[in-house]
Amino acid sequence: MVLPALVMFTVFGVVPLVGVLVLSFTQWDGLGPINPAGVSNWQAALKDPGLYHALWVTFEIMILSWLVQTPMSLLLGVFLAGRQRYRAFLAVLFFIPLLLSSTAIAITYKALLDPNFGLGPGLHLELLTKDWLGDAKLAIAVIIFIVSWQFIPFHSLIYQGGVRQIPTSMYEAAAIDGAGRVRQFFSITVPQLKYTIITSSTLMVVGSLTFFDLIFVLTAGGPGDSTRVLALLMYQQGFQANQMGLASVIAVVIVLLGLVLALLLRRLGGSLTTSQMEGM
Amino acid sequence: MAVVTSETRATTARPAGGGGGVPVGRKLLRMNWLGGTAGWVWLLIVMVPLYWVVVTSFKAQSVYYLHNPLSLPTDPTLDNYRLVIESDFPRFFLNSVIVAAGTVIPAGAIAFMAAYAIVRGAGSRFLALTNGLFLMGLAIPLQATIIPVYLLIIKMQLYDSLLALMLPSIAFAIPLSVLVLTNFIRDVPKELFESMRVDGATEWGMLRTLALPLTRPALVTVGIYNGLAVWNGFLLPLILTQSPDKRTLPLGLWTFQGQYSVNVPAVLASVVLSTLPIVILYAIGRRQLLSGLTAGFSK
């Protein structure tokens, strides 16, 4: 009974995973024959400053979007954990962005942020009237904003579930000991959510490696190469420059990066929980 | 799932007066002004762009540049929607429906069988390894394997077909689906299986008459999650198809936007139309959709 799933996953999951490593040692234009190329792709890719730049942009977006999303999701998660009806209603509305495709979101924001006809000029708001996608720094900021807009609700829901699992007695005990609300938040809520924080961070970090649709539609990597993340570089090398070998090298880098980050975060989780246990 | 159960618990545990008898923890959640501010500000951040999209999609192109972008249309028009519907949009819509159904149903079926086998065959080395393989699939950004998938699809002579979109989508859906379903089937009491086996039921029989009905909520959850991923998927259609009549909605949206970039209201009407089915689904099955989106994470 396990066979159909195993076969499907092997053919379209495991084989391509091995295949991408094999292809990184070949030369292929996407149409013609595939020829072995030794380590030439790797040499070319590792010498290319474009790869390091894409790596840098990927990390920049990963870290900044984590920094924006985590505190906000935590705050909203604690808020949404309250049982009031209006909070449940807010949660329903918060979720709508998650239903939209990244393509739809990118198209919407492209129009919304248009320096001539967007929301800013329409409302005559100086502050919102900028060439948002034409400036390297602003474009990165816009991407981080949109990613947060799209995914903070999702992470808030994860935190909401986590907060609701914290026993009320812990807060009661803390209140008897005279701990204020802020103190309670940092000494009970945050430590109790350690697992949740790690799960949510893993999803954010590994997920950020696959922000392809949004950036492709929004900026196509521009202005210049300032928002060209690894996934986009892979696509451009492979399907626009027809160098599948080089693109495969980048794909291998993405896979390795994902694995290393997931393992690192898991290890962080393990050591944190053991130290937490020791403290008790 | 955790969300649903805790919400039902909330209705029974809600304090009556809200006065002195409220537990301190609840009070903490109740009067969190910082969280409250964040909540309302976030509502504004979420709703303004959405409101703008809907309002603008009913404005004529000629008025779009003139009026306050957040004002309601003075004379609302359906012209933008007509333009979208008279383009290739219905075709894209149909394609998306076909690909979503052609992914969600087989993926659910084979993941369910696999999950059943993994739970019932606990102790088998082969099944443990298989499960490990699926779990590994969760940690890897599978989109990075797109180039070999492209090669495979060409070799199978499936390039530029809807089947080319379904097969990899089914495979990519397996890891999380199996994880969620095994967690669910594991909760079925072993005694039930035992008593059915004593009565002479086969494994297939038990799968159909015992596990399937008990796992239905999880199957719906998994189906919604996979369906949403496929409905909104962009990379696979971009790479594995080329003819306009094979486009699914996100790719169609993108090309439509390229053609009508000056007609912002029409572009936004296409955004609304492509999202409408999901919003309707959300309105109907909110709880299951939410648990589907956080499946396996909110422990």
Side-chain angles (χ1 to χ4, degrees), chain A residues 7 18-19 23 30 67 69 74 105 116 134 144 155 162 171 203 215 254 269 280:
Chain A
V7 169
V18 179
L23 282 176
L67 281 175
Q69 286 184 87
L74 195 56
I105 293 175
N116 299 313
I144 288 160
H155 294 281
Y171 291 104
L203 291 171
I215 300 176
I254 297 176
M280 284 170 100

Coordinates of all heavy atoms in Angstrom, one line a residue, chain A residues 7 18-19 23 30 67 69 74 105 116 134 144 155 162 171 203 215 254 269 280:
Chain A
V7 N 6.7 5.3 -5.0 CA 7.2 5.4 -6.4 C 7.1 6.8 -6.9 O 8.0 7.4 -7.4 CB 6.3 4.5 -7.3 CG1 6.6 4.8 -8.8 CG2 6.6 3.0 -7.0
V18 N 18.9 13.7 -6.7 CA 20.1 13.2 -7.2 C 20.5 13.7 -8.5 O 21.7 14.1 -8.8 CB 20.1 11.6 -7.2 CG1 21.4 11.1 -7.7 CG2 19.7 11.0 -5.8
G19 N 19.5 13.8 -9.4 CA 19.7 14.3 -10.7 C 20.3 15.7 -10.8 O 21.1 16.0 -11.6
L23 N 23.5 16.6 -12.9 CA 23.4 17.7 -13.9 C 24.4 18.8 -13.7 O 24.8 19.5 -14.6 CB 22.0 18.2 -14.0 CG 21.0 17.4 -14.8 CD1 19.6 18.0 -14.7 CD2 21.4 17.1 -16.2
G30 N 19.2 22.7 -22.3 CA 17.8 22.6 -22.1 C 17.1 21.9 -23.2 O 15.9 21.5 -23.1
L67 N 13.5 38.9 11.2 CA 13.5 39.9 12.3 C 12.2 40.7 12.4 O 11.8 41.1 13.4 CB 14.7 40.9 12.1 CG 16.1 40.4 12.5 CD1 17.1 41.4 12.1 CD2 16.1 40.2 14.0
Q69 N 9.2 39.5 11.1 CA 8.1 38.6 11.3 C 8.0 38.0 12.7 O 6.9 37.9 13.3 CB 8.1 37.4 10.3 CG 7.8 37.8 8.9 CD 7.8 36.6 8.0 OE1 6.8 35.9 7.9 NE2 9.0 36.3 7.4
L74 N 4.7 36.9 17.2 CA 4.6 36.6 18.6 C 3.6 37.5 19.3 O 2.7 37.0 20.0 CB 6.0 36.8 19.2 CG 6.3 36.1 20.6 CD1 6.0 34.7 20.6 CD2 7.7 36.4 21.0
I105 N -0.4 38.7 -5.4 CA 0.0 39.7 -4.4 C 1.1 40.6 -5.1 O 1.0 41.8 -4.9 CB 0.6 39.0 -3.2 CG1 -0.5 38.3 -2.4 CG2 1.4 40.0 -2.3 CD1 0.0 37.4 -1.3
N116 N 3.7 56.8 -10.0 CA 2.9 57.8 -10.7 C 1.4 57.7 -10.4 O 0.7 58.6 -10.3 CB 3.1 57.9 -12.2 CG 4.6 58.2 -12.5 OD1 5.1 59.1 -12.0 ND2 5.2 57.4 -13.4
G134 N 12.2 50.9 -7.9 CA 13.3 51.3 -8.7 C 14.6 51.6 -7.9 O 15.6 51.9 -8.5
I144 N 10.4 42.5 1.8 CA 10.3 42.1 3.2 C 8.9 42.5 3.8 O 8.3 41.7 4.4 CB 11.4 42.7 4.1 CG1 12.7 42.0 3.7 CG2 11.1 42.6 5.6 CD1 13.9 42.7 4.1
H155 N 2.1 32.6 10.9 CA 3.0 32.4 12.1 C 2.3 32.8 13.4 O 2.5 32.2 14.4 CB 4.3 33.1 11.9 CG 5.1 32.5 10.8 ND1 5.9 31.3 10.9 CD2 5.3 32.9 9.5 CE1 6.4 31.0 9.8 NE2 6.1 32.0 8.9
G162 N 0.4 27.8 20.3 CA 1.4 27.5 21.4 C 1.0 28.2 22.7 O 1.1 27.6 23.7
Y171 N 1.0 31.4 35.1 CA 0.8 32.9 35.2 C 0.3 33.2 36.6 O 0.6 34.3 37.1 CB -0.2 33.3 34.1 CG 0.3 33.2 32.7 CD1 -0.1 32.2 31.9 CD2 1.3 34.2 32.3 CE1 0.4 32.1 30.6 CE2 1.8 34.1 31.0 CZ 1.4 33.1 30.1 OH 1.9 33.0 28.9
L203 N 10.4 27.3 9.5 CA 9.5 27.5 8.3 C 9.9 28.8 7.6 O 9.9 28.8 6.4 CB 8.1 27.4 8.7 CG 7.6 26.1 9.2 CD1 6.2 26.2 9.8 CD2 7.5 25.1 8.1
I215 N 9.2 37.5 -6.1 CA 10.3 38.4 -6.6 C 10.3 38.4 -8.2 O 10.5 39.4 -8.8 CB 11.6 37.9 -6.0 CG1 11.6 38.0 -4.5 CG2 12.8 38.8 -6.6 CD1 12.8 37.5 -3.8
I254 N 21.2 25.7 -3.1 CA 19.9 25.9 -2.4 C 19.6 24.8 -1.5 O 19.2 24.9 -0.3 CB 18.8 26.3 -3.4 CG1 19.1 27.5 -4.2 CG2 17.5 26.4 -2.7 CD1 18.1 27.8 -5.3
G269 N 17.2 23.8 18.8 CA 16.0 23.3 19.5 C 16.4 22.3 20.6 O 16.0 22.4 21.7
M280 N 15.0 23.2 35.5 CA 13.7 22.9 36.3 C 13.9 22.0 37.5 O 14.9 21.4 37.7 CB 12.7 22.3 35.4 CG 12.1 23.3 34.4 SD 11.0 22.6 33.2 CE 9.4 22.8 33.9

